[in-house]
Amino acid sequence: MMAMYKNFDAIIFDLDDTLIDDHGNWIRSVERISSFIVSTFNVGPSISEQDIFQSYLLISDELWSNYESRLKPLGNSIEIRKFVWNEALTNIQVFLEKQHLEDLVREFSVYREQIFPDMRLREKLLKLKRKYKLAICTNGTKETQFIKIEKAGLEGIFDTIICSDDVDVRKPHPYIYNYCVEQLGTSVDQCIFVGDSWEYDIVGALDIHMRCAWILKNDSKMNINVPAQVSIYSSAVQFIDSIFNVENQSC
C-alpha cells in the first residue's frame, strides 16, 4: 500500500458519497417527500408512502442510468427533478397538477440541501492542501454541486472543481479526468483519484493509468478483481490519515 504514495503531487476527489454523505441524504429526502405526498395530496387510499418511495427509487435509477438521452436535455436540476418525480408517480398511477408537482420539487430541493459540515474532514483537507494540489471531479452539475460544497463547509479548499457540465461528459469518460489533471497543472502519474463508485470513479481513472483510492463503505467488493494500483479505505478521512501516517514514517 505504501508504494502507492510515492511521487505524487495532486489528489482528485469525487464529491458525492466520498466527501459528503449524498446517498444517505437522498434516501432521507425521498422518504420525507413520499410522506409529504400522501399527507398533502389526494393520491387515494391504495397508495402508500412505501409505494411512492419504491417507485421513485426504481424510476430514478432507470433515468439516471440513461442520463445522456433522458435527463441531460432537460437542462437544470429543477426540471430534472420535476421530470423524475412525475415519471415515478405516473408509474404508480398518481397524477399531480403542475403546481402540486412544483410544490413537491421545491420541498424536495430543500431537503436535498440539508447537508452539514464535517469539521474533522475540513481540517484534514486543509492540512493536506499545504503539501498537495487538491481537486474535486464530479458527475453533478455546477448548479447543485457548488451548493453541496458550500453546505458541507468545503469551499476554499480545492484548487479546481470540475463538474460534468464543465466538459459535457461524465465519469468514467477519460476526458473529464484528463481535463481535471490539466487544470491542476500536473500529470496523470502524479495524481491519486479518490472515489466511492467502482463503475463511475475507479474504472475511468484506471483507464488512464491513474492510481486510485476506493472508498468502500461495506465489506462487499462485488467480486471485483482489484488491481494493485487501487487501495481500499472505509472513508476519505481514513485515506487522508493513511497519507499522514506514511509521511510520518518517512521522517
Side-chain angles (χ1 to χ4, degrees):
M1 181 180 292
M2 289 178 61
M4 171 182 170
Y5 301 119
K6 293 179 180 177
N7 306 316
F8 72 97
D9 64 13
I11 304 171
I12 303 173
F13 291 90
D14 168 56
L15 179 61
D16 295 333
D17 297 312
T18 297
L19 295 177
I20 62 173
D21 179 24
D22 186 68
H23 183 74
N25 171 275
W26 179 69
I27 289 293
R28 290 188 295 272
S29 299
V30 176
E31 288 174 338
R32 289 175 174 178
I33 291 302
S34 297
S35 176
F36 172 80
I37 292 169
V38 170
S39 64
T40 307
F41 305 121
N42 182 23
V43 297
S46 64
I47 301 296
S48 68
E49 294 178 17
Q50 189 64 19
D51 293 331
I52 297 170
F53 178 78
Q54 292 297 336
S55 181
Y56 185 87
L57 297 190
L58 175 69
I59 298 301
S60 177
D61 183 64
E62 176 188 322
L63 291 174
W64 280 100
S65 295
N66 295 279
Y67 171 81
E68 292 294 328
S69 60
R70 301 296 305 278
L71 299 181
K72 185 177 178 180
L74 297 173
N76 63 55
S77 62
I78 296 299
E79 292 304 315
I80 289 173
R81 286 172 177 171
K82 283 197 293 188
F83 180 75
V84 175
W85 271 109
N86 190 58
E87 291 292 297
L89 293 172
T90 300
N91 181 57
I92 54 174
Q93 302 299 302
V94 172
F95 306 98
L96 296 185
E97 297 176 8
K98 180 180 178 181
Q99 185 59 54
H100 290 168
L101 184 64
E102 291 177 353
D103 292 343
L104 177 161
V105 169
R106 185 162 49 249
E107 288 291 316
F108 184 66
S109 298
V110 169
Y111 290 138
R112 288 294 280 128
E113 293 173 13
Q114 290 182 353
I115 299 168
F116 303 100
D118 182 341
M119 298 313 297
R120 182 177 63 147
L121 175 61
R122 178 177 173 83
E123 289 170 4
K124 290 179 183 294
L125 286 168
L126 286 170
K127 183 178 178 182
L128 205 61
K129 181 178 174 66
R130 297 172 193 166
K131 186 172 182 180
Y132 304 103
K133 300 172 184 176
L134 302 181
I136 287 175
C137 182
T138 172
N139 275 350
T141 64
K142 288 183 288 187
E143 181 185 12
T144 58
Q145 300 305 71
F146 274 81
I147 292 174
K148 293 178 185 177
I149 289 167
E150 180 183 1
K151 297 277 188 180
L154 298 177
E155 72 281 7
I157 296 175
F158 297 91
D159 298 285
T160 189
I161 298 171
I162 305 301
C163 300
S164 58
D165 53 352
D166 287 317
V167 291
D168 208 31
V169 295
R170 291 162 56 85
K171 295 177 293 182
H173 195 288
Y175 183 76
I176 193 169
Y177 298 89
N178 284 316
Y179 183 79
C180 190
V181 171
E182 179 184 325
Q183 294 302 303
L184 285 171
T186 186
S187 58
V188 168
D189 63 342
Q190 290 290 310
C191 294
I192 297 172
F193 192 92
V194 185
D196 71 293
S197 170
W198 179 263
E199 179 182 2
Y200 293 109
D201 293 322
I202 306 304
V203 167
L206 289 175
D207 282 346
I208 64 168
H209 309 292
M210 189 183 295
R211 291 169 288 176
C212 301
W214 186 15
I215 306 303
L216 191 63
K217 297 180 180 179
N218 56 59
D219 294 331
S220 171
K221 297 181 183 179
M222 300 173 290
N223 299 316
I224 292 171
N225 184 20
V226 180
Q229 62 267 46
V230 178
S231 293
I232 298 175
Y233 301 91
S234 62
S235 68
V237 167
Q238 186 189 42
F239 162 73
I240 296 169
D241 284 343
S242 71
I243 291 180
F244 296 151
N245 290 338
V246 170
E247 290 178 349
N248 292 336
Q249 292 170 13
S250 302
C251 294

